[in-house]
Amino acid sequence: MSWVNRNAVMETPPPLLFESSGTRWRCFGFDNVDEFAARSGSFADLLIRARLARENAYAPYSKFRVGAALLMDGELFSGTNVENASYGGTLCAERTAIATAVATGRRKLEVIAVSTDAAAGSAMDMRTPCGLCRQVMSEFATPDLIVLLDGGNDEDGSLLGEVIRFEALLPWRFRL
Ligand code: THU
């Protein structure tokens, strides 16, 4: 009997649902709603700021615009993807936002929101940060870093979003 199941798919427990100030959140990696409810005050605002940042994306090659907005040491910063004709020189939105904050002396990443051009209600894996960005987040992550994803708007106009505990997004991360 093999001890590795190559076909194993990591099981994601069903999300907890949480509603606040016109936003419906699906929450992953939390034991109970209270854990994130206590911090949810600025979450909708960050999501909107990530959407606004997306408007400035430079994405002439992929046409896939991404915006990020984050809180580092309590200060707000934003970023967009910045593509390059070489393709390999492309920077993701999350990393431009983090680099901007770090360049002004900030070090503690508390929450980061990401908004992409993926259609409203699209699969989460079209909207989650890439592996490279997750590793860069890890460098500055506070122990309870939260990642917010923009899920578009519901038919009734409500904002849709995901709240993900960073540990759930990048388990077994590399550290020195
Ligand atoms: N992109 C991001 O900005 N963040 C991610 O986490 C994933 C991908 C950008 C890079 C590229 O400009 C475009 O999305 C398509 O991959």
Side-chain angles (χ1 to χ4, degrees):
M1 193 179 78
S2 162
W3 56 276
V4 173
N5 177 3
R6 288 182 179 278
N7 296 318
V9 173
M10 243 176 48
E11 282 198 27
T12 309
L16 294 169
L17 303 176
F18 178 69
E19 218 169 315
S20 88
S21 54
T23 311
R24 288 200 191 103
W25 300 104
R26 300 194 302 153
C27 312
F28 297 86
F30 297 90
D31 291 330
N32 60 71
V33 176
D34 301 339
E35 275 188 85
F36 53 79
R39 293 178 61 193
S40 67
S42 60
F43 285 1
D45 181 54
L46 269 182
L47 214 59
I48 296 296
R49 287 182 188 264
R51 275 189 195 182
L52 289 173
R54 198 175 88 210
E55 299 296 319
N56 291 328
Y58 179 73
Y61 306 106
S62 74
K63 310 264 192 296
F64 190 77
R65 300 171 308 158
V66 185
L70 58 78
L71 289 179
M72 241 165 135
D73 297 352
E75 293 278 330
L76 182 102
F77 295 88
S78 57
T80 72
N81 51 338
V82 182
E83 295 190 344
N84 188 269
S86 71
Y87 287 33
T90 292
L91 298 169
C92 290
E94 298 89 323
R95 277 179 289 144
T96 59
I98 292 169
T100 303
V102 171
T104 64
R106 273 63 178 195
R107 294 290 185 269
K108 292 193 190 98
L109 180 59
E110 294 143 3
V111 48
I112 179 166
V114 183
S115 176
T116 75
D117 271 343
S122 58
M124 242 172 84
D125 53 12
M126 291 195 67
R127 297 180 281 114
T128 44
C130 77
L132 195 49
C133 286
R134 294 180 201 196
Q135 184 63 32
V136 172
M137 287 177 197
S138 157
E139 191 72 24
F140 301 101
T142 49
D144 52 0
L145 171 62
I146 279 175
V147 178
L148 307 173
L149 304 180
D150 184 5
N153 283 71
D154 215 351
E155 281 138 23
D156 65 2
S158 305
L159 283 180
L160 298 173
E162 281 92 14
V163 187
I164 311 170
R165 186 193 287 282
F166 181 68
E167 289 293 340
L169 203 55
L170 188 61
W172 292 13
R173 61 181 144 143
F174 175 72
R175 281 185 256 215
L176 286 176

